[in-house]
Every structure is written in C-alpha cells, then in structure tokens.
Amino acid sequence: MKELAKTGSVCPQCLRILPAQIIERDGKVWIKKECPEHGVFEDLYFGSYEWYRRAQIFARDGRGVLNPQVTKENPVCPSDCGLCKMHMSHTALANIVLTNRCDLSCWYCFFYSGRVGYVYEPTFGEIEEMVKTLKSEQPVPCNAVQLTGGEPCLREDLVDIIKMVKSYGVDHVQLNTNGIRLALDPDLVEKVRAAGVNTLYLSFDGVTEKTNPKNHWEVPQLIENCRKVGMGIVLVPTVIKSVNDHEVGDILKFGFKNIDIIRSVNYQPVSLVGKMPREERERYRITIPDVIKNIEEQTDGILKMDDFFPVPTALMISDFVEALTKKPMYQMSSHFACGAATYVFNDNGKMLPLTHFIDVQGLLEYLAEKSEELRAGKSKLLVGAKLLYSIGKFVDKKKKPKGLDIDRIIFNALIKHEYNAIGQFHMKSLFIGMMHFMDLYNYDIERVKRCCIHYAMNDNRIIPFCAFNVIPEWYRDKNQAAQGISFEEWERKTGRPLKQDLYKRDAEKLKASEAYKKFVWQVEEIKSGKF
C-alpha cells in the first residue's frame, strides 16, 4: 500500500468531516477514512493507478471567482458552500432545476418529487434571479446553462424560460431531459430549438430494452425530430457495473452512426447515493478507467486509454488564449480525477481518434511554452506566426480525415478567436466524455473545491454539483423542501392530479414507427459486428 495524497472526506453515516487518504494498492486507487463513531470506510477511487498517474500530470487549478457569494472569513469545505473564497473554479456549466416533477421514476435516480415527498418548482422570477447571479460572476461570467429537473419539459413556461436565459447573453443553453415529451411532440422540439436550446442532454443508458427501459422506445423518434430542426444531442449513459457496462461500446457505435445529429456521448459512472452495504457497492461501482477499458475492449482497440485526457488539459488551451488576449478566459479547471475526454472523427465510415493524427500532448506542451513567452512580453504577432508555422509539426497529414483542414481550424480558434472554427471541429467529430460524480463513500473534498459544474439556488448561492446532490441534507433538500409544497397543495393550485404527469407507454405503437425500425436495424448492424 502506498499513500498518494491526503484529502478530506465525510462519514457516510453521520456526515462528520474527516481526514482521508488516497492510496494505491494492487494497481488500483482507493480512498480511506475513519470515523470515530462509525469506523473505517474504504472505497474504490480509480480502477487504474496507471491512469491516475497519467491524469495527475495534467492537473491545473483555476482562479475561482473574485466575488464569492459566501463571505465567511474561514469557510469549511464542503459545509460552507455558496461559492466561497476557497473554491478554485468559476462556473463552467450551471444547472438550474426547473422542477422536481418527473414523468418517470427510475430506481437509481437521486432526485424526483415522488422520492422526496413534495413539489419544488421555482417561479419564473426566481429563475431569472439565478441567471443574474450566474452572469455576475467575476472575472468570468457563466456562459453555459443547463435546464434540468426532474423533467424540465413538464414546465408549461419552458419556452419562455429558455428565451429569458438567452436574453441575458448566455451562449449555450442545454436541456437535460429523458426526451419522452420531445419524442411525442415535434412542435415542442421546434419551439425549444427556436427559443435558443443548443443541445439536448439526453439520458440514454443502452441500445436494448433491458439496459434502457427509461426511453428505449422513444429515443428513435426524438432523434428524427431533432434532425428536422438541426438540434444536437448528447447521449448520457449512467454506467452501472453488472447492469449496462457491457454496452458502452455499442452506445458509442450508435452515436457514431448518427454523428450528423449526435454531438457527444458523455458517460457518467454511477454515483451510489444513499446508504449502501459494501457488497452492493462492489457490485455496482465502476470508475473512469474501468469505463475506458470497456470501451477499448468493446471497440476492438479502436479507442485506448492513451486516447483520453483528463478535463483540466483544456486549461492549457485557454491559458494560451488568455496570455494572447490579456483577457480572462473560460477555464475547465475541475480536479484531474473528475472526468476524461477525447474526440473521434468519421474517416470514410470508420472511427478515427483525434490522437491518431494529432500529437495532442506535444501540441499542449507547445502551447504552454508559448503562453509563458507571451506572459514574459514576447510579441503576440511573432508568437502567432510561429504557431501557424509549427502547427503542422503536430499533425500527421497522411492520417487525418480527408477534407478536414485541422491546421486552419486550430489556428483560427487560437489566434483569430473565430469560434465558428470550434463549431466546425465539433460538427465533424464525436466528443466522447465521462464525468464521475461522487457519492458519500468516495467523497474527496479536494475535488469539491475544484468543481466547475454548479447548481444555482434561489437564495443566490451557487453550489458545486457534488455538494448539492451528494449531501442533499445541507443543500438541495434543505433549500428545496423549504420552498416546496405538498402534493395536495400543488394539486389544489393547478387543478389536476400529480399522477397525471406519469407517462403511460404504448410500446407496440412506438415499435411500429419508421424511426424505431431504423433504430433496430442500426443496433442489429452494431451487434452483428458489421459496424
């Protein structure tokens, strides 16, 4: 056993803040802590020590916010969130909960009205105040908002909310949805697209009925509806060991087959919320390197461990642009253990990972070197000219996809700040990401301090994801229960029963659609190995 780092955590039983160790044993990484009342807890942190070491190389801290909402002199993490002066990341993506009502009741979901026993639904005015708070962050105002729930499509004023968010200059509006309402109502798809939604963040746990009972029958029609209006989709599989981890490769292949409308596959290794015995945690626990290993095995080695990079590598790019422009830039400054990502391109029908034709690590190191030169006073014209000349050294032109002028895209994005160049990059590729949100057993306070995915609350606080959802007694439930109303009161106000929200599926009717038949044909091709 070898200690890798000291950190802080919480007791899964009593939430006491505890010292913790990150340790290596048998090629894996574990987190260990001891509560004086409830004893020792040890849980898997990373399924590969090799990946942990590689990811740690790219660790970078952000600058945080200059105007934190919590002004306490000596805040304690994670019990004084809001954000506070200890927090090292600004809000890269803000979640705004529109409702905790949902038309489904998935067993692993940590948040819906039927489970918590009340209806939480902020008013339009409260949501607007949340947006104002997010846009007031300094030195980098929040520029990406995800509207979430529950199921946000249950809000009758959803379109007006989207328009309001866009009116505050938020460039990227993402709708986190199970897609059912949007599959059944193509007019709603048109309306949310026209109002300003860039992307649907779509729950999608597998390509079969067994692995994706949530929306298996509706997703095919939703995809076709989105195609008609040009709205991109991110497939979001919650990956659970022994449940759907055998389909991570098929999910990726399905996304690739529909690369014209599916922009990304974003895997989320399951967060084991609530109290759970060790045997059960071992049955379901899966970590980022485990998911990558499964992808490698299930794509016959097309994608490998070395094709993925931890999220904070993006700071090496934003640092260069910041050094060039002398303006604070968006920073993806999460902890190196929080996530990983790569891109694949369509090369004549075959997956081609970005790393197969670009020396990504070499380019990042080059940009870091140029950032230092710019900060030391070197002419940005000279640095720009050198970059234009040097980009080709990192690109293998024989291997890159035909028709992809990657040198020009990189130069335009970095030097000319033409963000349509980034759009071109995304339109020609499939982003593969993964984000492992924590639970009480693998809770690492150093990760909380660096979280860049936040929740806005209606008391003007902004809370990191893994404080908001993992310790709901302190944040989500405490705040929303105080604002929520009973089922009876909600039904009295609205004049309709809450159970009316629940979706009743006509699976046979859905299976008869042309969209579903196309979906089945694609999955059969994937399963047969014809991909």
Side-chain angles (χ1 to χ4, degrees):
M1 184 182 83
K2 177 170 66 173
E3 182 178 276
L4 305 177
K6 293 186 187 303
T7 185
S9 188
V10 294
C11 173
Q13 298 292 325
C14 65
L15 301 182
R16 185 195 299 242
I17 297 173
L18 304 169
Q21 293 174 290
I22 308 294
I23 58 175
E24 183 272 332
R25 187 177 66 244
D26 301 327
K28 297 181 180 182
V29 179
W30 307 79
I31 185 166
K32 186 176 182 180
K33 55 202 173 184
E34 183 173 1
C35 174
E37 182 178 354
H38 297 105
V40 175
F41 295 89
E42 184 176 285
D43 215 282
L44 187 65
Y45 186 92
F46 250 33
S48 166
Y49 172 56
E50 181 183 353
W51 170 257
Y52 178 93
R53 284 194 309 162
R54 180 173 178 270
Q56 192 174 32
I57 293 169
F58 297 96
R60 301 285 189 284
D61 285 338
R63 68 170 67 81
V65 293
L66 299 179
N67 57 334
Q69 292 78 32
V70 173
T71 56
K72 190 174 181 179
E73 186 61 32
N74 296 302
V76 177
C77 186
S79 58
D80 291 324
C81 278
L83 299 166
C84 77
K85 65 182 183 180
M86 293 172 63
H87 204 78
M88 301 180 192
S89 300
H90 69 79
T91 306
L93 175 68
N95 288 278
I96 297 179
V97 176
L98 302 190
T99 180
N100 70 343
R101 290 185 294 131
C102 190
D103 42 14
L104 298 176
S105 54
C106 304
W107 68 271
Y108 55 81
C109 181
F110 47 68
F111 177 54
Y112 64 96
S113 60
R115 179 160 287 173
V116 298
Y118 55 82
V119 175
Y120 166 77
E121 208 154 275
T123 66
F124 186 95
E126 287 172 330
I127 295 167
E128 187 170 15
E129 287 303 312
M130 294 181 208
V131 176
K132 288 179 182 178
T133 301
L134 291 165
K135 291 301 292 184
S136 71
E137 278 191 31
Q138 297 174 9
V140 182
C142 175
N143 201 29
V145 167
Q146 177 168 270
L147 302 175
T148 187
E151 174 48 57
C153 291
L154 294 180
R155 287 279 302 228
E156 292 181 358
D157 57 352
L158 174 62
V159 171
D160 292 332
I161 291 169
I162 296 164
K163 289 178 180 177
M164 178 271 291
V165 174
K166 291 295 288 186
S167 75
Y168 281 89
V170 175
D171 285 338
H172 187 81
V173 178
Q174 190 162 274
L175 188 60
N176 186 358
T177 178
N178 61 34
I180 289 171
R181 300 271 165 145
L182 297 165
L184 303 179
D185 187 353
D187 289 342
L188 181 58
V189 177
E190 286 189 35
K191 288 174 183 175
V192 299
R193 176 62 173 148
V197 169
N198 305 81
T199 309
L200 294 186
Y201 203 65
L202 177 68
S203 178
F204 184 80
D205 293 337
V207 298
T208 60
E209 295 180 22
K210 185 176 180 181
T211 53
N212 190 28
K214 182 187 297 182
N215 56 6
H216 168 82
W217 300 266
E218 293 79 16
V219 164
Q221 188 59 56
L222 172 63
I223 290 173
E224 297 308 317
N225 292 349
C226 288
R227 268 200 178 96
K228 288 175 184 174
V229 299
M231 181 155 60
I233 297 171
V234 177
L235 300 180
V236 189
T238 298
V239 185
I240 307 172
K241 183 181 173 185
S242 77
V243 174
N244 66 341
D245 55 323
H246 61 287
E247 279 195 5
V248 295
D250 289 347
I251 293 169
L252 175 56
K253 292 171 186 176
F254 176 73
F256 187 75
K257 270 186 175 291
N258 295 277
I259 198 170
D260 63 306
I261 199 67
I262 292 175
R263 305 281 181 253
S264 169
V265 179
N266 196 18
Y267 299 94
Q268 292 186 353
V270 68
S271 172
L272 300 174
V273 295
K275 294 183 173 80
M276 189 175 287
R278 185 181 184 90
E279 299 77 26
E280 209 168 329
R281 300 199 308 271
E282 289 175 352
R283 178 183 173 188
Y284 295 130
R285 172 75 74 205
I286 190 166
T287 69
I288 286 170
D290 304 319
V291 175
I292 297 174
K293 184 179 179 182
N294 283 353
I295 290 173
E296 180 177 340
E297 291 171 353
Q298 295 168 29
T299 60
D300 297 322
I302 292 173
L303 278 156
K304 294 184 169 65
M305 285 277 191
D306 289 349
D307 294 319
F308 287 82
F309 288 83
V311 173
T313 53
L315 258 73
M316 300 170 82
I317 299 170
S318 59
D319 279 355
F320 173 81
V321 177
E322 188 169 297
L324 189 72
T325 62
K326 312 296 185 190
K327 295 178 182 177
M329 299 299 295
Y330 236 58
Q331 294 183 327
M332 295 295 291
S333 52
S334 64
H335 190 279
F336 68 87
C338 287
T342 191
Y343 288 88
V344 292
F345 287 77
N346 188 338
D347 187 29
N348 199 25
K350 295 181 180 179
M351 280 190 206
L352 182 64
L354 177 72
T355 52
H356 289 203
F357 62 93
I358 295 181
D359 175 7
V360 175
Q361 186 160 343
L363 179 58
L364 291 171
E365 290 170 354
Y366 177 81
L367 291 176
E369 178 187 310
K370 296 301 148 189
S371 298
E372 290 301 315
E373 290 179 4
L374 286 164
R375 289 194 176 94
K378 199 160 192 176
S379 163
K380 66 179 183 179
L381 290 175
L382 184 59
V383 170
K386 281 188 175 180
L387 178 64
L388 180 61
Y389 173 76
S390 300
I391 286 175
K393 296 177 184 178
F394 304 102
V395 178
D396 188 330
K397 292 182 171 54
K398 292 179 181 177
K399 292 182 179 178
K400 75 179 182 69
K402 288 175 183 159
L404 181 69
D405 190 355
I406 192 70
D407 306 46
R408 180 59 57 183
I409 289 173
I410 294 172
F411 181 79
N412 286 348
L414 293 176
I415 302 297
K416 295 186 176 181
H417 321 305
E418 293 179 358
Y419 292 104
N420 65 329
I422 299 172
Q424 290 174 35
F425 185 88
H426 278 275
M427 292 293 285
K428 294 176 182 291
S429 64
L430 182 70
F431 177 78
I432 307 169
M434 49 196 76
M435 183 64 69
H436 192 172
F437 297 113
M438 295 185 286
D439 50 59
L440 292 174
Y441 296 96
N442 60 11
Y443 208 72
D444 178 358
I445 290 175
E446 290 305 312
R447 284 182 58 184
V448 179
K449 290 177 182 177
R450 292 162 174 81
C451 178
C452 60
I453 301 176
H454 302 156
Y455 276 83
M457 298 205 307
N458 58 3
D459 61 2
N460 292 323
R461 284 185 296 165
I462 298 170
I463 309 296
F465 188 105
C466 287
F468 185 85
N469 281 318
V470 179
I471 314 179
E473 301 94 326
W474 293 355
Y475 299 106
R476 186 191 73 210
D477 291 358
K478 183 178 180 181
N479 174 261
Q480 294 181 0
Q483 306 293 325
I485 60 176
S486 69
F487 296 164
E488 292 78 13
E489 185 178 349
W490 186 87
E491 290 177 343
R492 191 168 57 251
K493 281 186 172 183
T494 61
R496 64 187 183 86
L498 190 62
K499 65 182 181 182
Q500 211 172 71
D501 287 341
L502 293 175
Y503 174 55
K504 297 178 179 66
R505 174 177 289 121
D506 186 343
E508 294 308 312
K509 182 179 178 181
L510 292 165
K511 284 181 178 181
S513 72
E514 290 304 312
Y516 187 81
K517 291 173 184 175
K518 177 182 175 182
F519 171 82
V520 169
W521 171 73
Q522 288 186 333
V523 172
E524 285 176 349
E525 275 206 328
I526 290 167
K527 294 286 188 184
S528 67
K530 293 180 181 177
F531 175 79

